[in-house]
Amino acid sequence: MGLTKVQASGLDLSADWNFTGTVTGTPAGGSMTLIKTLTASSSSSLSFVNGSNDVVLDSTYKSYKFVFKNIHPANDSVSFDFNGSADSGSNYNVIKTTTLFRTSHDEADTFTQFGYNSNEDLAQSTSYQHIVYGLGNDNDQCVSGEMFLFNPASTTYVKHFMSNASNYFASNGENQMFVAGYFNTTSAINAIDFKMSSGNIDDGQISLYGIN
Amino acid sequence: MALTIIKPRAVDLSETFNFTGTVTGDNVGGGSLVKISEQTASASSSISFTGIDSTYRTYYFKFINIHGSSTAQFRFNASTDSGSNYNVAKTTTYFVARHDENGSNGQIGYDTGNDLAQGTGEQLLSDNYGADNDASLSGTLWLFNPSSTTYVKHFYSDCQYYQSAVPRTNRTFMAGYGNTTSAINAIRFQMSSGNIDDGTITMYGIA
């Protein structure tokens, strides 16, 4: 049973007190709020749908940030992808035009790369967009990074997004990939889905933050 | 005299209490990203943030749907005299990844025309983009330790915009330094021509 009354001769406000629970209300100056963390466990996808499962993805925040932590695939050499929905997750098929470039360096120090990947971008496509590709499934291989989504509730503008992610690619090396673009719609985006190009997301977390 | 001791017979924790002052501690209100100021454009010739000081080591600007009145570049400059003059010498780099909606021009490259070499003029955050109703720019600009009187002042940006006239997506990366050991205490944003008709710029501090 939780403590509901203080019954003491005095409560010294100059002392340090430990409080548990959740701080609610208007943030005291802070501007980034953790909305939801999803943890993968042989998951076919991880979806953030506004109004579902405590997820907020609407005009409450002007921008949103997804943080990927140790996303580990079941299959080898796969891409970690995302798409948006304008109908609360019934369909993930919003038209997108995107860019993707990367830097690469293998552990054997046999090659480095920096450049645009014209086969991995989208031009007015409803397909899923890669955040990274070539991801390995060795026990220690994974992808971590972040993605911003700006003003998804706008019914005036297209919806911009930008990601930056580091992945341990299948043939052993570092791939940093930069993806950006826009959902080419003036409908509100109210859900985002993440999945592998094949197989499950076996492990990892995706956290959604709201920023005002 | 401030109250330091509560001496009631009982405090009912199910009641609602009003607390004033500043909440401190770990991860209160989202951690150390503190909103300082937010400005919304409305046919604005420029948007300026003054009062930048040593309160925070890092400043972070967020651009949401910056929409110009005409086809123009979105750009910024810095001031060491609280906004009387925006003319700090800067040396910068600028590169862009772009891709057209028809599938062509997927590329990344350095734009020599959009950087500065000790220039006191405005630094571009984007190249020209259109004023179509659904076109805008969103992104971020970091400014590090602007109050230093020892070091030059580093900054970098990461912006994404819709160049509706092509139509094309562009992601621009700009970085550089204000080549001064005077404190930078104001930043101004504007379009290269016309007004900022719509959009929001928020300044955050990070301790």
Side-chain angles (χ1 to χ4, degrees):
Chain A
M1 178 179 171
L3 181 67
T4 58
K5 288 184 185 293
V6 174
Q7 291 177 322
S9 58
L11 182 63
D12 186 351
L13 296 181
S14 66
D16 290 330
W17 299 90
N18 293 319
F19 293 90
T20 59
T22 303
V23 177
T24 58
T26 303
S31 298
M32 194 162 94
T33 302
L34 175 62
I35 297 170
K36 185 72 180 180
T37 295
L38 299 178
T39 300
S41 179
S42 298
S43 307
S44 58
S45 67
L46 294 175
S47 302
F48 293 85
V49 180
N50 180 54
S52 173
N53 199 20
D54 299 324
V55 169
V56 176
L57 192 61
D58 59 13
S59 62
T60 303
Y61 299 96
K62 288 195 179 67
S63 62
Y64 290 83
K65 179 179 180 178
F66 298 91
V67 178
F68 318 120
K69 292 166 278 190
N70 299 133
I71 304 295
H72 176 75
N75 293 353
D76 196 32
S77 196
V78 294
S79 59
F80 177 53
D81 302 337
F82 80 101
N83 211 333
S85 170
D87 56 9
S88 300
S90 296
N91 298 280
Y92 289 98
N93 59 356
V94 179
I95 293 172
K96 295 171 291 300
T97 296
T98 66
T99 58
L100 186 153
F101 69 96
R102 66 167 178 160
T103 61
S104 304
H105 185 204
D106 69 331
E107 292 180 356
D109 200 19
T110 58
F111 76 89
T112 59
Q113 287 186 334
F114 171 75
Y116 193 90
N117 291 86
S118 57
N119 293 327
E120 313 300 339
D121 58 11
L122 297 176
Q124 295 297 90
S125 170
T126 59
S127 300
Y128 279 67
Q129 170 63 49
H130 303 332
I131 295 169
V132 298
Y133 61 90
L135 177 59
N137 74 337
D138 290 355
N139 287 343
D140 59 350
Q141 291 183 319
C142 64
V143 54
S144 296
E146 64 182 21
M147 182 174 82
F148 285 100
L149 174 63
F150 297 94
N151 201 11
S154 171
T155 54
T156 302
Y157 299 111
V158 302
K159 316 304 183 302
H160 295 293
F161 51 80
M162 305 188 304
S163 72
N164 178 359
S166 168
N167 90 85
Y168 190 172
F169 63 74
S171 53
N172 298 329
E174 162 65 16
N175 257 332
Q176 185 183 12
M177 296 193 181
F178 299 83
V179 173
Y182 49 82
F183 293 113
N184 197 354
T185 177
T186 53
S187 299
I189 299 293
N190 49 26
I192 298 289
D193 184 53
F194 299 94
K195 68 178 186 179
M196 297 297 175
S197 54
S198 72
N200 290 332
I201 306 173
D202 264 1
D203 193 16
Q205 289 185 324
I206 304 177
S207 295
L208 171 64
Y209 298 85
I211 304 174
N212 265 333
Chain B
M1 179 178 171
L3 181 67
T4 57
I5 302 286
I6 295 173
K7 292 181 177 177
R9 296 181 63 184
V11 176
D12 187 348
L13 297 181
S14 65
E15 294 291 327
T16 299
F17 296 91
N18 293 319
F19 293 89
T20 59
T22 303
V23 178
T24 59
D26 292 337
N27 200 31
V28 173
S32 55
L33 184 69
V34 176
K35 181 193 285 188
I36 300 169
S37 176
E38 182 172 282
Q39 299 187 53
T40 299
S42 179
S44 307
S45 59
S46 66
I47 291 179
S48 301
F49 292 85
T50 57
I52 295 171
D53 59 22
S54 61
T55 303
Y56 300 97
R57 298 290 297 276
T58 305
Y59 287 80
Y60 175 66
F61 298 88
K62 177 155 283 193
F63 317 119
I64 305 286
N65 296 136
I66 303 299
H67 177 76
S69 61
S70 59
T71 297
Q73 304 151 340
F74 182 54
R75 55 192 196 171
F76 85 105
N77 211 334
S79 170
T80 59
D81 54 11
S82 300
S84 296
N85 297 279
Y86 288 94
N87 58 0
V88 173
K90 297 172 289 298
T91 296
T92 64
T93 60
Y94 182 107
F95 69 96
V96 60
R98 60 170 64 105
H99 187 208
D100 296 359
E101 288 188 0
N102 66 8
S104 64
N105 291 316
Q107 56 189 275
I108 187 170
Y110 193 93
D111 268 335
T112 55
N114 291 345
D115 60 10
L116 294 173
Q118 295 298 94
T120 59
E122 310 294 312
Q123 171 59 49
L124 274 55
L125 295 164
S126 79
D127 212 327
N128 288 307
Y129 64 99
D132 287 1
N133 287 342
D134 60 350
S136 70
L137 173 149
S138 295
T140 60
L141 170 71
W142 294 82
L143 173 63
F144 299 93
N145 201 11
S147 294
S148 171
T149 54
T150 303
Y151 299 110
V152 301
K153 314 304 182 301
H154 292 290
F155 49 78
Y156 68 80
S157 69
D158 184 358
C159 292
Q160 159 67 29
Y161 63 96
Y162 174 34
Q163 190 176 356
S164 54
V166 179
R168 170 185 291 164
T169 184
N170 295 266
R171 184 178 186 178
T172 60
F173 296 82
M174 181 282 306
Y177 52 86
N179 196 356
T180 177
T181 53
S182 298
I184 286 178
N185 47 30
I187 296 288
R188 180 182 68 188
F189 301 95
Q190 60 182 195
M191 308 303 292
S192 55
S193 66
N195 291 329
I196 306 174
D197 264 1
D198 193 16
T200 302
I201 305 178
T202 307
M203 180 171 74
Y204 302 89
I206 302 173

